[in-house]
Amino acid sequence: MEINISGIQYDSCVNGVGFRDVIYISGCWHKCRKDCHNKETHNENYGKKYIIEELISEITSKSSNDISISGGDGLTYQIEQTYNLVKELKLKYNKNIWLYTGYKFEELLNNENILRKDILKYVDVLVDGNFNKEFINDNHIFRGDSSQRLI
């Protein structure tokens, strides 16, 4: 299965606790676009195509860091691919996984797409909710603004 990735950032210390490798999934349909700092990632075809197993092999051969999934939003256009990526990283490599999404936790639990709920089995920390620049302050570590939650 192929997945479009807009980028990979190794050794990030701002997308979760400790040094982490951040995978930026292409595609997003949330309404926070005007304030988004990754606007180029909204197009689900943006970036580079990877076969999921090859992406995992590349990341795990370069680093032993844990993983953060950002975007775009991997729970929109590429939900099936993101689910498979996260499941493999957790089950095969026992990675600690942080997932950033514009969905609220409650929306994931009650979503008609079962993968949006099931992915939570493989996620250690969920950073939920649309970015809103009106809520930017100095007290929102690992989040874009204080309306987003760490779960």
Side-chain angles (χ1 to χ4, degrees):
M1 175 177 286
E2 288 187 334
I3 186 168
N4 278 351
I5 301 298
S6 61
I8 302 168
Q9 179 182 9
Y10 293 95
D11 298 326
S12 170
C13 59
V14 297
N15 293 288
V17 174
F19 286 104
R20 309 181 72 76
D21 298 332
V22 185
I23 303 170
Y24 294 92
I25 309 289
S26 297
C28 183
W29 60 44
H30 295 293
K31 303 273 190 241
C32 54
R33 295 173 187 246
K34 66 181 171 112
D35 298 327
C36 181
H37 69 281
N38 290 339
K39 290 180 184 173
E40 68 279 358
T41 67
H42 294 166
N43 181 336
E44 69 270 24
N45 297 311
Y46 178 79
K48 182 177 178 183
K49 282 191 188 300
Y50 284 90
I51 294 173
I52 290 175
E53 293 80 12
E54 292 173 356
L55 171 64
I56 292 170
S57 178
E58 178 179 320
I59 291 169
T60 57
S61 70
K62 290 182 179 181
S63 170
S64 62
N65 292 341
D66 286 319
I67 303 292
S68 291
I69 305 291
S70 190
D73 189 333
L75 302 187
T76 59
Y77 297 106
Q78 297 196 88
I79 177 61
E80 185 177 357
Q81 295 91 329
T82 303
Y83 176 85
N84 288 321
L85 173 66
V86 168
K87 183 178 177 181
E88 177 96 1
L89 286 166
K90 178 56 81 178
L91 295 179
K92 191 170 181 182
Y93 296 94
N94 196 31
K95 295 291 186 180
N96 176 278
I97 299 173
W98 284 44
L99 174 66
Y100 287 78
T101 182
Y103 285 100
K104 288 291 191 185
F105 177 66
E106 297 79 9
E107 292 176 294
L108 296 175
L109 293 178
N110 298 305
N111 201 281
E112 70 273 359
N113 185 326
I114 195 69
L115 294 180
R116 289 196 182 97
K117 178 180 178 181
D118 284 354
I119 199 169
L120 297 174
K121 295 176 197 174
Y122 308 107
V123 171
D124 297 284
V125 176
L126 180 75
V127 183
D128 79 340
N130 283 338
F131 172 74
N132 185 334
K133 72 177 180 180
E134 294 175 23
F135 294 108
I136 293 176
N137 63 48
D138 292 335
N139 300 318
H140 55 271
I141 190 167
F142 303 128
R143 299 171 288 154
D145 68 66
S146 61
S147 73
Q148 296 172 310
R149 301 178 295 179
L150 293 173
I151 298 171

